Amino acid sequence: MDRLRKTAVHPCRGAHPMRKLASIQRVLAVEPIPGADVIVATRINGWQCVTKKGEFSPGDLGVFFEIDAIPPDEKAFQFLWTPKGEALGSVPRPERFRIRTMRLRGCLSQGLLMPLRVVGLPTDLDEGTDVTDQLGVGKYEPPLPSGATDIRGPFPAGVPRTEEMRIQSMPRIVEELNGLSYVVTLKCDGASATFLIDPDDGEFHACSRNYSIRQGAGGYWKVADALELEARIRSVDGRYALQGELCGPGVHKNRLGLDDLAWFVFDAYDLVEHRHLKHDERVALCEQLDLVSVPVIEEGEAFAHDQASLLELAEGRYPGTRNEREGLVVRSRQGITSPTLGKRLSFKVISNRYLLRQS
């Protein structure tokens, strides 16, 4: 923890829209790729996809599959996993096949864009329509840290799960932050871990992104016990669900290069007022409880970044390592609500260099 101390999240279930893994998007631009005859770079929102030449023109609508979307095992998608030269249908889909970031002829492709007719969708759908469920698209979830597979039960109701919208999915949210006070924090590459006293049963829970973990199982409880998190949370009347990133040996290749498991707090949710704490409130709470917050990369009183400058800022390495950092989380310092997101103004910026290393 000391190594990062020196360097200086999510829609509620049933309350806000979840991430659209497959949605209808409009083509903003089609650009040639140097040296490529049959593929082009096609831009939608803040993303760039490689598509077939002549398949799309500016203004066209297509269905966009985000990174980590798992397409269904149907003929329209079999080209994704069928080796070149093999007949479609001759090769079964690999288990949990997912869309990844890749380079094709040197061009970055961040997702998959397909014509509506190819996937059997009507052409009169509105831009932005979520077709995730309609197409049977799943979401890839990385495995839990080693030893943390013992499930106690579902994630506690009434507590927001930790998931941020990527800036490339909704680039206009950057404009909503223009001129406002802001804070940019490091996105630590680990496993989401939430700790709370359940208001319903008064019991302490250690949770992964999707489940409450059985007591004593895995890294979640190791950190909970080492930091005496139950006692700390009860010391503030059990009012807050604390959420952070579990990092260290055995967790996502330990890209922070830590010697032991550590937990970096990036959110605190008030279970009484049903709201996320503002940045300064969360920092003060962490200081009160002697817990480590995620490092601040940049902050200011008048946000002036655009998507390009944020992507540039996202690139870098974790302190003391040669590992590419995952990216950043950008928030309104005052916790204002985004009209676009329907919740607080907060989004993540994933480093392109990091994405390429994981592909």
Side-chain angles (χ1 to χ4, degrees), residues 98-128:
R98 75 186 195 271
I99 304 301
R100 304 168 182 256
T101 298
M102 62 180 64
R103 282 192 185 275
L104 298 172
R105 299 299 296 269
C107 181
L108 192 67
S109 187
Q110 302 166 290
L112 173 68
L113 184 67
M114 296 177 66
L116 299 177
R117 55 178 172 75
V118 172
V119 296
L121 290 174
T123 58
D124 59 352
L125 293 175
D126 293 331
E127 181 180 358

Side-chain angles (χ1 to χ4, degrees), residues 166 168 187 311 314 326-328 348-352 354-355:
R166 292 189 186 189
Q168 291 97 328
K187 194 172 191 310
L311 286 170
E326 186 177 4
L328 311 169
K348 62 186 177 183
V349 185
I350 304 300
S351 163
N352 284 330
Y354 170 87
L355 288 172

